[in-house]
Amino acid sequence: MNIYLKDVSEQDLSLLFDFQNDPIANKMADVPAREREAFYQHWQQNIFSNQHSMAIGIWHNNLLVGHLVSWVNLELATVDEPEVRLIGYWIGREYWGQGIATNALKMFLQHYIKSPVYAYIDAQNQGSLKVAQANGFVNVTPQYPSLFTKDNLLIFKRER
């Protein structure tokens, strides 16, 4: 499988916008699509301008097929874990079910992230749950009962 990762650039945002604007993907992830201007603003303010965030494009056969993001969430911070890093991933629907997300996340975790790392995943999103579990994430939702705004949101953690 010909997968590689590289930093997301502003030129990549148009395609990433199209991926996140897919109503089937939005329903599965339980994440509403952003309007184009809000999407670009989010990336500029919360990802590109944030020293604690990173965005890595997922490339398959020389095509951008999705992205991985990581950021620090202070709401999860504890004395033992003062800097809690979360990850998220989004793959264009036409690339689902091919192992691309699983392999890309594995590469991302090996080369960019120090453990522990967390992920919020909607309970109905079986694809995302499989990707996370295949990469060593376990459900730690009961340990964080105060952080939920949605009943179906789960928190996964990877220690290694």
Side-chain angles (χ1 to χ4, degrees):
M1 186 171 291
N2 185 14
I3 297 173
Y4 63 94
L5 307 177
K6 72 176 190 179
D7 289 346
V8 170
S9 70
E10 288 191 41
Q11 292 78 17
D12 299 328
L13 293 182
S14 179
L15 183 55
L16 297 180
F17 171 78
D18 291 341
F19 291 154
Q20 73 85 44
N21 204 32
D22 179 338
I24 293 172
N26 298 129
K27 183 176 179 182
M28 180 183 290
D30 197 18
V31 174
R34 289 183 169 97
E35 295 294 328
R36 185 174 296 276
E37 184 176 328
F39 178 84
Y40 280 82
Q41 184 177 10
H42 169 77
W43 275 81
Q44 288 298 327
Q45 292 177 350
N46 298 320
I47 299 169
F48 292 146
S49 298
N50 184 336
Q51 68 180 6
H52 298 291
S53 296
M54 67 179 81
I56 306 296
I58 302 169
W59 293 78
H60 175 60
N61 294 331
N62 295 318
L63 296 172
L64 180 62
V65 300
H67 71 277
L68 298 135
V69 292
S70 181
W71 67 99
V72 173
N73 183 325
L74 298 177
E75 293 176 342
L76 289 175
T78 65
V79 172
D80 296 329
E81 288 184 77
E83 182 176 291
V84 176
R85 183 156 290 282
L86 283 110
I87 57 104
Y89 38 89
W90 198 281
I91 303 290
R93 184 163 38 110
E94 59 268 36
Y95 305 103
W96 291 359
Q98 300 176 38
I100 296 170
T102 299
N103 286 307
L105 180 57
K106 179 181 179 182
M107 294 167 64
F108 185 65
L109 293 168
Q110 288 173 341
H111 299 288
Y112 293 93
I113 301 293
K114 294 180 184 174
S115 292
V117 62
Y118 295 82
Y120 290 112
I121 302 174
D122 189 277
Q124 67 159 353
N125 190 341
Q126 292 300 308
S128 192
L129 291 168
K130 287 178 185 177
V131 168
Q133 290 167 336
N135 279 285
F137 284 81
V138 296
N139 187 345
V140 295
T141 304
Q143 297 174 29
Y144 301 95
S146 65
L147 293 179
F148 293 98
T149 57
K150 299 181 196 176
D151 291 336
N152 54 336
L153 190 64
L154 304 173
I155 297 178
F156 280 76
K157 182 178 182 181
R158 181 179 187 264
E159 291 281 356
R160 352 179 219 132

